[in-house]
Structure formats: C-alpha cells, structure tokens
Amino acid sequence: MMREDPRVVLNVAHTVVKRVSPFVRQIDFALDWMAVEAGRAVYRQGDKSDSTFIVLSGRLRSVIAKDDGKKELAGEYGRGDLIGVVEALTHMNRATTVHAIRDSELAKLPEGALNSIKRRYPQVVTRLIHLLGEKILGNMQQVSGPLAARGLALHTPTSKWDVGNPASNLSTVSILPVSEDVPLTAFTLELQLALSGIGTQTHTHTHGPVCHF
C-alpha cells in the first residue's frame, strides 16, 4: 500500500497525531531511542546525571568502583526497568557505571522532559518516591553493601525487586551444549532445581540440542 500510494502514510500519521494529546507528543519528541552494543557503557561513575533510561530490550549491569580499586556488582536490569531515575531526581552525579552485557535498546528521557512530567503530573513523582521507599526498605532487610549504589536503579512493579540477586529479573535462558557429549537433559534439570529458589521456571526442550527456561 505504501509503495502504491505513499499518501497513505501521511493520512495515517495525521490521524494518529490528532488522537494523541499534546503532552504525549511532547514526551515522544523528547525521547531519544538508543542502541547500545554489548560491552559499551551507558554512563560512568561520576558522570553528571542529566537523564533517565528505560530498558526496552537486552540486559545491563551496574558496577560501583570502590576506593581500593575493586569493583562491586550493584545490580542487573532487563526489559521494563528504569535506570538512573533517583540520581536524575536528586541531581546527584552517577554513583555507578552501567554497561550493556548484551546488545540492548534504551529510551533516554532527558532531565527537561522529566521535569516537565513532574510539573504536569506530580503524582508520578509521588509514585516513584513510594517505589523507591519500598526498594530501600527491601535492601535494608535483604542486601548488605553500598545501599546508595543499589538504590539508584528502579524496577517496575512487573519485575522482581530483589536487586541483590542479579538473576531475579531474567525472563528466558537458553542452554546450548558445546558438543553432543554434554548431558543436556541432566544439566538442565539440575539447573532448574537450583533456580527454584529464585522463582517459578518453565522448562521446555525444543527440537535439537537446545533447552529454554
């Protein structure tokens, strides 16, 4: 249809724009869609906090560099998680380095857009503060270590809150043996038993030497 009559695209776009509120159009215009290759940093410890990131796909890891030169895992984040929201709200410098451990897609929400949301819809900030409070209390009860660093990324209600467990927000894991000699079934059954402490798993064996959780 687009090849035969390119005007269709303009008509559809015009219809969509008419049905979307000016505020939503403003936020959509402000969002910056990012593709981050595995191994690249989204931001580094000490950087200025000028934006919040929403994970659309992939996986990222947050690491804090200590004074003795050692690095400590602060958390891992997957689809639907918010990263850097607390630092952006409090105007703090980045307390951790966040880098992609898989090719990832992010939506970057600039500080100006976040401030616009705060002014227009104060209840959004109230909700964020409520979630942050729950997160900090959960860290105090379950996690030892630098509380401030672990509290700088925020999970959505649809994901798990156990930041101390990097595997807590995994969704799908594929197991591929390196050779036919690997006892795939026995290994995956043992892995499923080990993961039972995290949550519920569904184990499927597809055609060929691949298993999914």
Side-chain angles (χ1 to χ4, degrees):
M1 291 175 60
M2 291 172 57
R3 286 195 300 267
E4 294 294 332
D5 189 357
R7 292 175 300 176
V8 170
V9 179
L10 296 177
N11 292 334
V12 172
H14 184 259
T15 301
V16 171
V17 168
K18 286 197 304 183
R19 294 179 178 271
V20 175
S21 72
F23 181 74
V24 173
R25 294 201 301 267
Q26 176 187 354
I27 297 301
D28 180 64
F29 181 78
L31 285 175
D32 184 15
W33 305 95
M34 299 174 53
V36 184
E37 296 180 353
R40 291 189 175 275
V42 179
Y43 57 76
R44 298 187 181 278
Q45 188 171 335
D47 287 352
K48 180 181 178 181
S49 301
D50 58 358
S51 55
T52 298
F53 297 89
I54 306 168
V55 184
L56 304 178
S57 66
R59 195 158 185 82
L60 298 101
R61 179 172 293 165
S62 178
V63 177
I64 181 171
K66 306 174 73 174
D67 293 336
D68 58 5
K70 295 182 179 179
K71 296 182 179 180
E72 180 176 333
L73 175 65
E76 289 191 5
Y77 314 105
R79 183 176 60 186
D81 288 338
L82 301 181
I83 301 177
V85 62
V86 178
E87 297 159 318
L89 288 173
T90 57
H91 305 288
M92 297 169 54
N93 288 339
R94 303 294 188 189
T96 65
T97 295
V98 173
H99 62 272
I101 56 178
R102 290 207 306 259
D103 289 349
S104 304
E105 293 183 343
L106 309 177
K108 179 180 179 181
L109 184 65
E111 183 181 17
L114 186 60
N115 290 334
S116 178
I117 295 174
K118 286 163 55 178
R119 290 192 299 268
R120 186 77 174 268
Y121 298 103
Q123 61 269 31
V124 173
V125 179
T126 302
R127 177 61 177 165
L128 287 174
I129 293 174
H130 175 73
L131 293 175
L132 176 61
E134 289 183 349
K135 185 179 180 66
I136 291 176
L137 290 176
N139 282 336
M140 292 176 64
Q141 295 172 357
Q142 300 176 11
V143 181
S144 60
L147 180 60
R150 296 180 184 272
L152 293 176
L154 190 62
H155 294 267
T156 61
T158 56
S159 64
K160 296 182 180 180
W161 277 78
D162 185 9
V163 183
N165 191 339
S168 64
N169 58 1
L170 286 174
S171 56
T172 304
V173 178
S174 296
I175 309 298
L176 291 83
V178 295
S179 70
E180 296 181 355
D181 299 331
V182 175
L184 180 64
T185 301
F187 175 81
T188 52
L189 289 175
E190 290 187 15
L191 179 61
Q192 183 179 15
L193 179 63
L195 293 175
S196 61
I198 298 175
T200 303
Q201 295 84 37
T202 300
H203 174 213
T204 60
H205 192 104
T206 58
H207 295 291
V210 181
C211 285
H212 298 278
F213 284 91

